[in-house]
Amino acid sequence: MVVRIRLSRLGCKNKPFYRVMAADSRSPRDGKHLEVLGYYNPLPGQDGGKRMGLNFDRVKYWLSVGAQPSEPVERLLFRAGMLPPPPMVAMGRKGGPRDTRPVDALTGRVLHQEKPADANNTEQQHDTPENP
Amino acid sequence: MQPLHRLASCTRRVATSSLRHDCLLPRAPSGILSFSTDAPAGGGGSFDAAWESASSWSTGLAGDHFNGQAPSEVLAYLQDTEDRLRELEAENRRGKAYCDSWKSRLEETTVLLKQVQEPGARGSYLKDSEKAEMYRLHKKNPQVYTVEKLARDYRIMRQRVHAILWLKEIEEEEEKRLGHPLDDSVEQLLDSCPEFFNSHDREFHVASLPYKPDFKVMPEGWDGITKDVDEVHYEISMKEDEMLYREFVEKMNFNKKKMAGEVKCHKYSRRRPSDGWTFTVEKLGHQGKRGGGGGWKFASMPDGSSRPLNDMEKMYVKRETPRRRRRILP
């Protein structure tokens, strides 16, 4: 019916690697597709950032002819600068604030610094009321 | 009582001397008379002759002492003897130095034999004192004592110079942090007895090639010359050395950053930041192509803005770009 720009899962077990695909909405997730438009690696690299690639020309073409991006792809396209930001969710994190204590880069242990942790906690508490 | 006793002894001495003088007085006139009676004739002549005539005594340098030779000849002979002795001593010193030099000569023989068996080997152990000297020179004047110059002066590879400088820098920082010098007993032991350490230090890289005959059918009338096999081997070795050196420097720089804590090695350290992830976006397609390393890349911030890559991210991009080459064996 409609062409969707979505992610097809590659990689191996517990180690995903996605490709951005243009496919008919009725075809399987990893099956028949129309075109490969890019890649997205959800696992961060050693610099703490993520990697992704997009074929901007082809993505613009498919969007112009009416292809519908899925929600994850919509967020990716926003980060790439091709779409406006998606609508913000009204509810915050379900499990409460995350553990934001600084961690050593080599060993992964928590650095024993109370002040930065307090600062992070205060920042987190300060951020939470802004959401509603 | 005592002073009187002393006076008595003095008087006795005086009495004896006076008695002696009295004995001498009667003899004197008879002697004088006998002398005066004989003096005008024989005594006067002998007296005058004694002062005016030549002396009958012989000088110290008489002919008998030198076996009938002249003094000048004897002195020349002595000088010749001294010269000959000095020459003998000089020859002895030279011979002794030559004998002593056999120890270092044997050591050089060991080094040369090792270099013959293993081409490119340094042949001797690089002492810790020399490493400290290298670090001191490089720290004092980095422009003059570059890595290449130190490698050539101390006959080691450039990779090793980099490693030595980094090691000495780390040691210096550790000493500064601890406040007392580190334990260098093992280095001192190896410096004093380098024979314990069978070193395989390399001075330059020698490519290991699987030699095979490559015959060519030259065209008619070809009058060129082919390169020497050793020359080809040398060129390949230089090329491989450059590749190895470049890769070593890149890996060492990355390891420096890793030790500085800028590389997130553990998965706990790769958690999502508070403000969100930073993406490295790559432009694919023929329009986004940039050289052999993929498309043009930029960094996307969590708030949607984008910025160019910084030096760290450029290094990561260079690391992640696959670059294939033939495997270089040591």
Side-chain angles (χ1 to χ4, degrees), chain A residues 39 46 54 79 98 101, chain B residues 271-272 277 282 284 300:
Chain A
Y39 65 87
Q46 286 183 325
L54 282 176
R79 297 304 298 270
R98 290 168 48 251
R101 291 175 296 174
Chain B
R271 296 176 304 182
R272 173 161 54 94
W277 294 106
E282 181 184 359
L284 300 174
S300 177

Side-chain angles (χ1 to χ4, degrees), chain A residues 7-8 10 16-20 38-43 50-54 72-73 75-76, chain B residues 277 279:
Chain A
L7 298 176
S8 72
L10 305 176
F17 182 85
Y18 295 99
R19 269 181 172 172
V20 183
Y39 65 87
Y40 163 62
N41 189 356
L43 303 176
K50 294 190 175 183
R51 305 276 188 270
M52 65 177 279
L54 282 176
V73 173
R75 292 197 295 269
L76 293 185
Chain B
W277 294 106
F279 281 78

Side-chain angles (χ1 to χ4, degrees), chain B residues 169-182:
Chain B
E169 188 181 344
I170 290 172
E171 284 179 5
E172 194 179 25
E173 287 174 2
E174 193 74 11
E175 285 180 3
K176 206 173 296 181
R177 197 171 58 85
L178 293 176
H180 59 81
L182 301 173

Side-chain angles (χ1 to χ4, degrees), chain A residues 34-113:
Chain A
L34 298 174
E35 191 174 354
V36 179
L37 301 174
Y39 65 87
Y40 163 62
N41 189 356
L43 303 176
Q46 286 183 325
D47 61 337
K50 294 190 175 183
R51 305 276 188 270
M52 65 177 279
L54 282 176
N55 195 338
F56 281 60
D57 301 333
R58 298 306 300 169
V59 170
K60 285 174 185 173
Y61 163 75
W62 283 109
L63 289 175
S64 68
V65 298
Q68 298 298 313
S70 60
E71 284 185 13
V73 173
E74 193 171 357
R75 292 197 295 269
L76 293 185
L77 295 183
F78 160 67
R79 297 304 298 270
M82 303 182 69
L83 284 184
M88 191 186 303
V89 292
M91 190 179 70
R93 180 181 162 92
K94 280 195 297 182
R98 290 168 48 251
D99 182 9
T100 54
R101 291 175 296 174
V103 171
D104 186 20
L106 280 172
T107 60
R109 283 192 292 267
V110 176
L111 297 174
H112 295 287
Q113 296 178 3

Side-chain angles (χ1 to χ4, degrees), chain B residues 86 210 328:
Chain B
R86 201 175 296 111
I328 296 176

